[in-house]
Amino acid sequence: MGSVYPYETASGKRLYRIVYRRPDNTQTQERGFTRKRDAEIRLAEVEVSKAKGDYVNPADAQVTVAAIATPWLVGREHVMKASSYRSLASAWQTHVEPKWGARRVGSVKYSEVETWVAELTRDRSATTVLRAYGVLAAVLDVAVKDKRISRNVARGVTLPRKVAKSKPYLTHRQVATLAAASAHPTLVTFLAYTGLRWGEATALRVRHVDTLRRRASVEENAVMVGTVIHVGTPKTHETRSVPYPAFLSLSIAKLCEGKGRDDLLFGDGRLHMRLPNSRDGWFAAAVRRVLDDEERAAAEAKARGEDEPARMPRVTPHDLRHTAASLAISSGANVKAVQRMLGHASASMTLDTYAELFDDDLDAVAIALDGARRSALK
């Protein structure tokens, strides 16, 4: 056990200090307690933490958040995909480092973190806030594991919730119309009927396509980070085989003509197609053409006193992934098949993402229960 000693400051004020041995048997002291009782409580805390193996050397808590974050970020860079790491590093540089970088880890308080999160929430999206908070919390987790602090004060802070945006779904006819209006009709149709991510589709090589079984083997992912395309494994790090409908067979076969096995299926075969600009790229131009045509058709229908035809929602290339899920489910595919097609980590993830598309299944359950009850009571 350590000991408590009184001492006087230069001004004559009476204070207390505690003297004890660290787990490595070196002696240290802590000073500045105004009451003997406070010193005794602190000494008791030290002894309990030593017994539990949770002792934290106050000197180790003086390291700054940035000093821990720097090597942590370097480690993340080698285990994360380039696009994910870029978001992580951006959150640190933009939101975390300016506020917390120079702070000692032992000085960070729960109330301060909660106030910071609340202030960010007022001006930023939930996704941005959660990412920034996640970086700070992860860095403080490292400090806990290094025994620089006894607990992570960032954990338990009230966080904003993401509000799910409504997903646009295209019909078969709308997919055909959009594809016909675009510069790359086969790619548009392929995305809408396979659910591949842009990077997965544009990374497909001729050898990845089995034209007899009508299967595409998703083994690579080409993601643009800044202005550079990084080629790696698919998002879940697992390859998967995705079927495509028979009506695409001829178009896919034409894309393969004149190309070697290692050439890219889409584009010129050598360079990965870049995600088109969301404002003036070829995909956005195709969407505008379709919407303009529908606007004219609606005006003409109104002039004739007819009901306006259904309009196509404004979509992005990624939204075609949602369309693929919608078309698959409406055709009778079960959640497990949709999960495998989309490459989701689990069926529950698919259900969480597309729960509204399975409403008809709930109706079928009610109808089945009604019939079963009538049969049982006959």
Side-chain angles (χ1 to χ4, degrees):
M1 290 290 291
S3 302
V4 177
Y5 299 99
Y7 69 95
E8 289 188 0
T9 65
S11 61
K13 185 177 181 180
R14 185 180 179 86
L15 297 176
Y16 295 87
R17 64 189 176 96
I18 59 174
V19 179
Y20 60 89
R21 291 189 177 277
R22 304 187 186 95
D24 62 3
N25 210 35
T26 59
Q27 184 171 287
T28 188
Q29 64 175 326
E30 295 180 31
R31 303 165 61 91
F33 299 97
T34 56
R35 300 185 306 168
K36 184 178 181 181
R37 177 62 177 162
D38 294 335
E40 291 172 339
I41 290 174
R42 171 56 185 161
L43 183 58
E45 290 175 348
V46 169
E47 295 301 332
V48 170
S49 66
K50 285 164 56 179
K52 290 183 176 181
D54 297 331
Y55 172 76
V56 173
N57 186 345
D60 293 337
Q62 302 302 306
V63 67
T64 63
V65 172
I68 296 177
T70 300
W72 177 77
L73 283 168
V74 171
R76 295 292 88 196
E77 185 175 10
H78 296 296
V79 298
M80 297 179 71
K81 290 187 174 296
S83 57
S84 298
Y85 176 76
R86 180 184 173 92
S87 297
L88 194 75
S90 176
W92 162 255
Q93 294 166 3
T94 306
H95 302 294
V96 185
E97 184 179 25
K99 174 68 177 180
W100 304 104
R103 286 288 296 275
R104 299 188 303 274
V105 292
S107 72
V108 179
K109 294 180 173 61
Y110 171 89
S111 59
E112 293 177 306
V113 178
E114 190 163 56
T115 299
W116 173 65
V117 168
E119 290 173 348
L120 277 180
T121 303
R122 283 198 294 269
D123 303 319
R124 304 288 180 171
S125 68
T127 298
T128 299
V129 175
L130 292 173
R131 186 177 291 126
Y133 162 80
V135 171
L136 175 63
V139 171
L140 294 181
D141 277 340
V142 174
V144 171
K145 292 175 181 177
D146 285 347
K147 293 190 175 181
R148 295 183 180 278
I149 52 178
S150 59
R151 64 189 181 88
N152 187 342
V153 297
R155 296 301 178 187
V157 166
T158 302
L159 299 172
R161 291 188 177 184
K162 289 184 181 181
V163 178
K165 297 180 180 178
S166 60
K167 301 177 184 65
Y169 302 113
L170 303 187
T171 65
H172 292 285
R173 185 173 297 279
Q174 288 170 337
V175 171
T177 301
L178 178 61
S182 75
H184 301 279
T186 302
L187 177 56
V188 170
T189 309
F190 186 82
L191 291 172
Y193 283 92
T194 62
L196 266 63
R197 301 173 179 89
W198 175 270
E200 293 172 340
T202 56
L204 286 175
R205 301 182 184 278
V206 172
R207 59 182 166 81
H208 293 150
V209 180
D210 185 338
T211 56
L212 293 178
R213 297 177 61 228
R214 297 195 303 276
R215 293 291 184 96
S217 180
V218 181
E219 301 177 17
E220 297 179 0
N221 191 27
V223 180
M224 190 160 64
V225 181
T227 58
V228 179
I229 291 179
H230 293 258
V231 180
T233 58
K235 188 173 182 179
T236 58
H237 299 284
E238 294 183 359
T239 62
R240 69 184 190 278
S241 180
V242 178
Y244 59 85
F247 70 82
L248 273 170
S249 296
L250 182 58
S251 299
I252 296 299
K254 287 183 177 179
L255 289 177
C256 294
E257 288 180 358
K259 292 180 178 178
R261 284 176 49 79
D262 289 329
D263 287 341
L264 295 167
L265 179 66
F266 293 104
D268 64 6
R270 296 178 295 103
L271 300 176
H272 292 87
M273 291 184 65
R274 290 175 173 267
L275 183 67
N277 186 282
S278 59
R279 283 183 289 187
D280 54 13
W282 63 265
F283 190 90
V287 172
R288 281 196 301 273
R289 281 193 288 272
V290 173
L291 294 179
D292 288 344
D293 289 344
E294 290 184 343
E295 185 70 29
R296 285 191 291 271
E300 293 171 0
K302 185 177 181 180
R304 294 192 300 267
E306 301 173 354
D307 293 335
E308 292 188 18
R311 307 283 189 93
M312 185 187 79
R314 189 175 294 276
V315 293
T316 66
H318 186 76
D319 290 331
L320 296 180
R321 180 170 165 82
H322 302 320
T323 290
S326 173
L327 296 178
I329 292 168
S330 64
S331 70
N334 61 47
V335 65
K336 197 66 181 175
V338 177
Q339 175 217 334
R340 291 175 60 189
M341 180 180 81
L342 298 178
H344 283 165
S346 65
S348 61
M349 180 180 178
T350 305
L351 281 172
D352 288 343
T353 306
Y354 299 107
E356 72 272 17
L357 298 179
F358 289 91
D359 281 349
D360 290 343
D361 289 349
L362 294 178
D363 294 337
V365 170
I367 293 170
L369 288 173
D370 185 66
R373 182 180 184 277
R374 284 200 304 271
S375 298
L377 297 179
K378 284 181 179 178

